[in-house]
Amino acid sequence: STSGEIAYVAQTGVTPPEVWIWNQKGGAAAKQVSHVNDAWKQFKLATPEYYKYKSFDGTEIEASLLRPIGGSDAGATTKLPLIALIHGGPTGRWSDAIEPWGQLLAARGYAVFYPNIRGSVGYGQKFVETNKADWGGGDYKDVMAGVHDLVNRGIADPNRLGIGGWSYGGYMAEWAITQTNEFKVAVSGAGMANLISEFGMEDHPAGDEWFFGTPWESPEKFLNSSPFVHFKDAKTPTLILQGDADTIDPLGQSEELYRGLKRYGVETELVVYPREPHGFHEEKHLLDRLNR
């Protein structure tokens, strides 16, 4: 405004979004003016601990950690069950914002690991480009380096590890279970099992073309990063969640994962939500997904 007031929406890892007013001329502190999400106040939330670790090749990765709510203090020696949650994108990122899935896990006694692995936005163009034509390569090694760092620091219990995510995060969970048996459980939400068939079905394939080219000219690049090539090595029980109206990562991708894991005797369950696109809309489905 002409008086110097700025209205904006702000949130943190423990405070949900609200509208704030700040007068840049007056020098006074910002003032919260909306109370849309006051219902959150009844819940104790886990405060993210932000830190950095070195990956396999020395690349610095920023991450955050939620410790279980009501657990011991930060210096506790008890090793915690740990869930690695991988963001979508891959040109996405975790930020200083409330993330309901992780908070729910923290409330149920789990530590939650959020790594901004190579390919994430917010760390410069070069960092974004470090996983071009290399999905399941350096990015996956970044995940594992972070998990092993928490194990080595005595925070995570190596015998109680899980991994999950949505979209590219679901893809990374799929990839992880074909590369290692360290995880005891996985959740793949709207993931990608076969990058060749994905390219032929998805909306906006130009994104994947930026990473890999086209499957007609570079099929080996798509194959090398496709989990379905390695399903025979998977043993981790896996929950698969998918909207049937998803045009970004279509239903067929989750069906390919389900069929492949079933073929090799892996404990798995596929849950398909009617009418739902890539980002769910219906409250009952959002709740059902978190409960599962």
Side-chain angles (χ1 to χ4, degrees):
S1 72
T2 54
S3 64
E5 285 189 326
I6 297 172
Y8 60 95
V9 176
Q11 64 177 316
T12 73
V14 291
T15 55
E18 296 290 356
V19 177
W20 292 70
I21 297 286
W22 176 59
N23 192 322
Q24 57 183 333
K25 293 180 181 176
K31 181 182 173 188
Q32 181 181 332
V33 293
S34 75
H35 294 276
V36 176
N37 288 304
D38 276 357
W40 278 91
K41 290 181 179 178
Q42 66 187 294
F43 304 111
K44 182 171 172 55
L45 300 179
T47 302
E49 301 170 25
Y50 299 100
Y51 69 101
K52 295 176 180 177
Y53 65 92
K54 286 285 201 323
S55 191
F56 70 102
D57 59 355
T59 300
E60 192 170 69
I61 304 296
E62 188 173 34
S64 71
L65 177 71
L66 300 184
R67 295 180 193 255
I69 296 167
S72 306
D73 61 30
T77 55
T78 307
K79 293 178 182 177
L80 300 166
L82 179 79
I83 311 296
L85 291 184
I86 315 304
H87 65 65
T91 42
R93 83 294 181 245
W94 295 119
S95 60
D96 189 11
I98 289 180
E99 199 285 303
W101 189 3
Q103 289 290 345
L104 184 70
L105 290 167
R108 297 298 189 275
Y110 294 93
V112 183
F113 170 55
Y114 296 101
N116 277 346
I117 56 182
R118 68 191 65 204
S120 302
V121 294
Y123 306 94
Q125 182 68 17
K126 185 179 176 185
F127 192 80
V128 167
E129 293 179 0
T130 48
N131 71 336
K132 283 190 81 167
D134 190 43
W135 291 16
D139 49 3
Y140 165 70
K141 291 177 183 175
D142 291 345
V143 172
M144 298 311 296
V147 170
H148 294 154
D149 169 66
L150 292 169
V151 169
N152 293 338
R153 286 163 56 196
I155 295 171
D157 183 342
N159 297 310
R160 292 187 294 168
L161 301 174
I163 188 168
W166 197 263
S167 192
Y168 166 80
Y171 160 85
M172 190 55 70
E174 293 182 36
W175 182 260
I177 66 169
T178 70
Q179 305 298 308
T180 180
N181 293 321
E182 290 181 64
F183 296 107
K184 296 296 183 285
V185 66
V187 178
S188 172
M192 293 160 271
N194 179 343
L195 297 184
I196 291 179
S197 59
E198 162 89 359
F199 190 94
M201 292 186 285
E202 67 187 339
D203 275 357
H204 314 301
D208 287 351
E209 188 170 349
W210 184 83
F211 283 102
F212 295 103
T214 70
W216 309 294
E217 295 175 10
S218 305
E220 69 288 344
K221 291 181 181 178
F222 287 78
L223 272 176
N224 289 342
S225 292
S226 290
F228 88 100
V229 178
H230 306 286
F231 283 163
K232 62 185 179 299
D233 299 320
K235 294 184 171 53
T236 306
T238 302
L239 174 63
I240 308 166
L241 305 170
Q242 176 76 44
D244 77 348
D246 191 337
T247 58
I248 304 298
D249 293 322
L251 172 60
Q253 292 297 307
S254 285
E255 290 176 331
E256 286 197 44
L257 173 62
Y258 180 71
R259 182 168 292 177
L261 294 182
K262 284 298 240 185
R263 166 60 61 113
Y264 293 105
V266 179
E267 183 183 350
T268 183
E269 184 175 304
L270 170 63
V271 184
V272 180
Y273 293 86
R275 302 176 298 281
E276 292 291 10
H278 196 57
F280 283 15
H281 294 160
E282 297 182 34
E283 193 70 22
K284 60 182 176 292
H285 293 156
L286 291 163
L287 287 170
D288 182 86
R289 181 172 64 178
L290 285 173
N291 283 322
R292 287 179 190 274

